[in-house]
Amino acid sequence: MAALQIEVLRPQDMTAQRVARWAELQAGDITLDSPFLSADWARTLESVQRQTSRQIRVAVAVLDGRDVAFLPVRVGHLTAMPVGAPMCDYQGLVAEPGVKIDARRMVQALGVQRYDFCHMIEDQAEFAPFARGRQLSHVVDVEVGYEAYEAARREAGTSVLKDSDKKRRKVEREVGPATFTAFSRSQADFDQLVAWKRAQLDATGQTDIFDAGWTLRLMQDLFERRDPDFGAVLFTLHFGDRLAAVHLHLHGKKTVHGWLIAHDPEFERYSPGILLFQDILRWMDATPYSRLDLGPGDYRFKRELANTGVWVTHGFVGGVAPAALVRHAAYGVRAAAEALPLGKMSELPGKAMRRVDVLRGLR
């Protein structure tokens, strides 16, 4: 048997056969159906990030003449990051089942000293030894249909859907009809989503991800797509003639991934964002989509809506190179702080690392 080889390519230089092989491997595992793990995601990011300092590359593992694994990354001078970070909610190998891949060897082939990841699929054994922490990405599986899902949530003791029905009736009495639109093409509603999101980031003291420029180009590009297997779709909810909530979600073949959500603060008491999620889940009954991935983050509405999930990890792959040693030291400080009984103070090193990584990704 021939030894496994690793080729490094630009996404735009991949042949149609390689792109098809990537899609074939994705289709074999529902967990890999995430749009963030697709060849289209890497190719789109290469297009919108042409003026940035880093380059998008794909490490392709080849065995006996066939492609067996794909790992897209954003490569800098010394380090690599996930493609599209911080706008990317999943990372991982899209690989043939049973194939053994050396993560360090793939990173070395990319010509960098370390690879940082933030939402690596935990079940992937290749990266498990390099994980430094984990969190749950909440998923709603409605393969059996909305009614069966709703009944199961009720049996599990979750009242979020019942409460949503009450709030929907209340808003229709007090404001006007609640009107749901799937695959909206309204540019005005898209622009309002961005405005609400920016206001939310400013109010909570978070980094304005839209200042980078490429993030808005990415959203606009995906919003304008018409590909049935990849792109972004806009969902809206109006109360009477007023826009109450708007979501921009990515989609694969069977998965809709919650990406950017916002709502009119004046309607906060009616929970319009959750009402919109409920409408999306009902709408999915008549579509090829069977999973609504709410993404990572420990929010109550995610815990109550989700009936399954995917564990993701953060960490880095590196050897004894200087860049890897620096990251190792940073994680050491973080672990020491988190082990101390200092409440919110213990979380500061971790928050600082995440904020720095967001800024690195936006450059």
Side-chain angles (χ1 to χ4, degrees), residues 164-184:
S164 295
D165 289 336
K166 291 180 180 178
K167 290 180 179 180
R168 190 181 301 272
R169 291 191 293 269
K170 181 177 176 65
V171 74
E172 292 191 330
R173 288 195 307 269
E174 298 177 353
V175 181
T179 304
F180 166 69
T181 303
F183 282 54
S184 168

Side-chain angles (χ1 to χ4, degrees), residues 4 21 25 60-63 66-70 94-96 99 101:
L4 186 141
R21 173 60 172 163
L25 293 177
V60 184
V62 183
L63 183 64
R66 73 182 191 281
D67 296 338
V68 295
F70 298 86
V94 176
E96 184 178 294
V99 172
I101 307 293

Side-chain angles (χ1 to χ4, degrees), residues 31-354:
T31 304
L32 298 179
D33 186 55
S34 170
F36 297 111
L37 301 178
S38 69
D40 289 303
W41 176 255
R43 289 153 71 93
T44 301
L45 263 298
E46 184 177 33
S47 175
V48 301
Q49 290 187 334
R50 284 175 181 167
Q51 297 178 355
T52 64
S53 60
R54 294 181 175 84
Q55 303 298 320
I56 308 299
R57 296 291 183 266
V58 181
V60 184
V62 183
L63 183 64
D64 293 334
R66 73 182 191 281
D67 296 338
V68 295
F70 298 86
L71 177 69
V73 300
R74 186 182 178 194
V75 178
H77 179 59
L78 297 176
T79 64
M81 299 181 69
V83 173
M87 306 286 285
C88 177
D89 283 351
Y90 279 113
Q91 296 102 48
L93 277 174
V94 176
E96 184 178 294
V99 172
K100 303 298 182 183
I101 307 293
D102 185 332
R104 278 201 177 99
R105 186 179 168 199
M106 293 197 88
V107 172
Q108 290 170 355
L110 292 163
V112 295
Q113 296 182 8
R114 77 169 199 254
Y115 167 55
D116 300 329
F117 54 87
C118 52
H119 298 114
M120 181 67 64
I121 297 174
E122 185 180 56
D123 285 347
Q124 296 200 341
E126 293 84 359
F127 290 92
F130 307 102
R132 297 302 184 99
R134 69 199 293 250
Q135 62 177 317
L136 184 64
S137 187
H138 300 275
V139 177
V140 182
D141 188 324
V142 287
E143 180 71 35
V144 296
Y146 178 81
E147 289 188 4
Y149 157 75
E150 183 180 40
R153 288 284 81 201
R154 186 167 56 249
E155 292 176 6
T158 299
S159 63
V160 62
L161 299 172
K162 181 179 179 180
D163 293 342
S164 295
D165 289 336
K166 291 180 180 178
K167 290 180 179 180
R168 190 181 301 272
R169 291 191 293 269
K170 181 177 176 65
V171 74
E172 292 191 330
R173 288 195 307 269
E174 298 177 353
V175 181
T179 304
F180 166 69
T181 303
F183 282 54
S184 168
R185 294 301 177 188
S186 170
Q187 184 66 47
D189 291 349
F190 175 93
D191 294 340
Q192 183 62 73
L193 166 65
V194 175
W196 278 338
K197 198 66 183 178
R198 297 190 89 155
Q200 178 188 0
L201 293 171
D202 181 64
T204 55
Q206 299 181 67
T207 301
D208 188 337
I209 58 175
F210 303 108
D211 280 343
W214 67 263
T215 49
L216 274 175
R217 293 196 300 272
L218 172 66
M219 291 171 57
Q220 189 70 48
D221 179 288
L222 296 177
F223 172 58
E224 294 173 357
R225 294 250 176 154
R226 301 295 188 271
D227 186 334
D229 295 333
F230 175 79
V233 290
L234 198 69
F235 298 97
T236 63
L237 182 66
H238 286 75
F239 293 160
D241 60 357
R242 288 186 57 183
L243 182 66
V246 56
H247 295 180
L248 184 70
H249 295 335
L250 296 180
H251 71 86
K253 290 185 176 182
K254 296 182 178 181
T255 301
V256 175
H257 187 101
W259 199 31
L260 294 169
I261 66 176
H263 65 269
D264 187 336
E266 291 188 25
F267 293 128
E268 178 73 32
R269 64 187 181 280
Y270 301 114
S271 302
I274 296 179
L275 295 188
L276 183 48
F277 272 124
Q278 184 183 39
D279 283 335
I280 293 170
L281 291 168
R282 286 176 170 145
W283 164 84
M284 287 169 65
D285 273 356
T287 74
Y289 307 114
S290 60
R291 287 163 63 93
L292 174 59
D293 195 319
L294 302 174
D298 189 26
Y299 297 97
R300 180 180 176 183
F301 82 89
K302 292 186 179 184
R303 296 195 303 269
E304 294 189 344
L305 288 174
N307 56 3
T308 186
V310 177
W311 285 98
V312 295
T313 64
H314 61 85
F316 72 99
V317 180
V320 294
L325 295 176
V326 168
R327 192 69 165 183
H328 179 80
Y331 266 112
V333 172
R334 176 175 177 175
E338 291 174 348
L340 296 174
L342 300 177
K344 294 293 184 180
M345 294 291 291
S346 295
E347 301 174 4
L348 292 180
K351 288 183 177 180
M353 284 185 68
R354 289 190 293 272

